[in-house]
Amino acid sequence: MATLKVPVHVPSPSEDAEQLRKAFEGWGTNEQLIIDILAHRNAAQRNSIRKVYGEAYGEDLLKCLEKELTSDFERAVLLFTLDPAERDAHLANEATKKFTSSNWILMEIACSRSSHELLNVKKAYHARYKKSLEEDVAHHTTGEYRKLFVPLVSAFRYEGEEVNMTLAKSEAKILHDKISDKHYTDEEVIRIVSTRSKAQLNATLNHYNTSFGNAINKDLKADPSDEFLKLLRAVIKCLTTPEQYFEKVLRQAINKLGSDEWALTRVVTTRAEVDMVRIKEAYQRRNSIPLEQAIAKDTSGDYEKFLLALIGAGDA
């Protein structure tokens, strides 16, 4: 469930492009006009605006936005204006760079997107960086992380709801045996986590819970300071209950001293058109405060207005 509010009568892409051009002209940038347009158009509409803008003015809309805007507001607008597959390709590429390195972002993209979405990310990555996502991930990671990440980003999981209960039972036992023996990087653990459909994984983890009396993520907390285990727990959460995973990322980003704007921006821009309604519900349940209120308290100015519009707090 998306929170993006698109007006009933959407102006044509050429009208939107013209209004954006006006927002850039004159003495100061009209940030409110940029928010009114871009925070209230879906991915297909934003793509059309970019195309028409380029044809009409001979300039890339993203380059113009980059020139006119600054700091967190600029990053949020640029990320959201990108096509979702391009956006993920950009985030994944950043995550493999030395100074913006993040295994978490790679895991997020590999585990919370559908098979077709992940395939489109890989195509966008080829087109933009003239390399494959898999080779950059393999180059960027080492040891147990490489062992887990390369299959995760290479996967094309079955998307249907069909479940094999016999298999769920036997694979729950395999997982329990390996985890009991602390063989967290065993190829069987990685095979199950990186290839099974999300429905099949859910069935396996339900069996694990009922047969062995503990949720798998509880058993994976044997060593709370182990970074690989933290990531493995996040993989499982992201695959099975993404709204809980993203609620935690938001909570940590907002509660952090000085707050983590990059994480806040990433989650809002990537989930506004997907499952932000469920994430907001999870946030309210966990923190007894609406996400809108938490964001408003933690951010300011145009950046705040843009994020609030994306999570459905403003009027379209």
Side-chain angles (χ1 to χ4, degrees), residues 40-309:
H40 298 289
R41 301 292 181 269
N42 64 31
Q45 291 161 346
R46 296 192 305 276
N47 282 343
S48 298
I49 294 167
R50 272 176 72 191
K51 188 170 174 287
V52 169
Y53 191 96
E55 288 162 359
Y57 305 107
E59 286 182 272
D60 180 353
L61 175 61
L62 292 171
K63 291 263 187 315
C64 295
L65 289 164
E66 213 171 309
K67 207 164 66 189
E68 297 293 332
L69 311 177
T70 56
S71 68
D72 294 316
F73 178 51
E74 176 195 345
R75 183 167 170 83
V77 172
L78 287 174
L79 278 179
F80 189 66
T81 305
L82 280 168
D83 176 77
E86 281 182 282
R87 183 200 299 138
D88 280 346
H90 171 79
L91 288 168
N93 184 255
E94 260 185 359
T96 62
K97 291 277 180 283
K98 191 175 178 185
F99 295 109
T100 45
S101 168
S102 171
N103 287 333
W104 290 84
I105 293 170
L106 294 173
M107 180 281 297
E108 224 171 78
I109 292 167
C111 298
S112 68
R113 294 359 177 207
S114 71
S115 297
H116 286 283
E117 284 164 353
L118 185 55
L119 184 63
N120 287 334
V121 174
K122 291 191 267 193
K123 286 178 182 171
Y125 202 95
H126 282 192
R128 174 78 178 79
Y129 302 107
K130 311 299 176 218
K131 290 181 288 182
S132 75
L133 175 59
E134 292 88 336
E135 70 181 294
D136 273 0
V137 167
H139 180 69
H140 160 75
T141 51
T142 54
E144 56 196 4
Y145 292 100
R146 182 186 288 167
K147 203 172 165 184
L148 175 65
F149 275 111
V150 175
L152 279 177
V153 296
S154 307
F156 190 80
R157 297 173 197 269
Y158 174 62
E159 290 280 327
E161 290 304 313
E162 288 82 355
V163 163
N164 179 332
M165 286 316 223
T166 312
L167 187 67
K169 207 169 183 176
S170 65
E171 291 194 335
K173 186 178 183 325
I174 292 170
L175 287 173
H176 185 257
D177 290 349
K178 300 297 180 189
I179 290 168
S180 299
D181 294 338
K182 295 189 166 30
H183 294 161
Y184 306 119
T185 60
D186 187 276
E187 60 186 33
E188 284 294 86
V189 174
I190 290 176
R191 173 187 67 78
I192 294 166
V193 166
S194 66
T195 65
R196 291 299 180 206
S197 74
K198 292 176 183 181
Q200 184 67 39
L201 260 180
N202 266 313
T204 299
L205 299 184
N206 284 339
H207 260 298
Y208 188 106
N209 206 343
T210 52
S211 305
F212 307 109
N214 248 353
I216 190 168
N217 271 5
K218 211 166 186 182
D219 287 345
L220 286 170
K221 272 187 181 157
D223 179 358
S225 62
D226 185 316
E227 283 303 313
F228 180 78
L229 281 190
K230 268 186 204 167
L231 206 54
L232 191 54
R233 290 198 301 272
V235 165
I236 288 164
K237 200 177 231 185
C238 210
L239 284 166
T240 55
T241 51
E243 66 281 3
Q244 286 178 24
Y245 167 80
F246 286 112
E247 180 280 321
K248 188 176 182 181
V249 177
L250 286 172
R251 176 170 20 106
Q252 290 176 334
I254 290 167
N255 294 346
K256 199 175 177 183
L257 194 64
S259 70
D260 181 351
E261 279 83 8
W262 274 44
L264 180 57
T265 299
R266 184 181 80 250
V267 175
V268 172
T269 56
T270 59
R271 307 315 286 179
E273 293 180 272
V274 186
D275 55 357
M276 188 49 82
V277 168
R278 285 199 294 275
I279 294 168
K280 280 168 69 174
E281 286 165 359
Y283 193 92
Q284 170 89 44
R285 268 197 312 274
R286 178 70 176 70
N287 304 283
S288 308
I289 171 177
L291 181 59
E292 287 93 327
Q293 215 174 309
I295 288 176
K297 209 169 121 188
D298 204 53
T299 58
S300 60
D302 297 314
Y303 177 55
E304 176 196 343
K305 285 181 202 164
F306 191 70
L307 293 186
L308 292 178

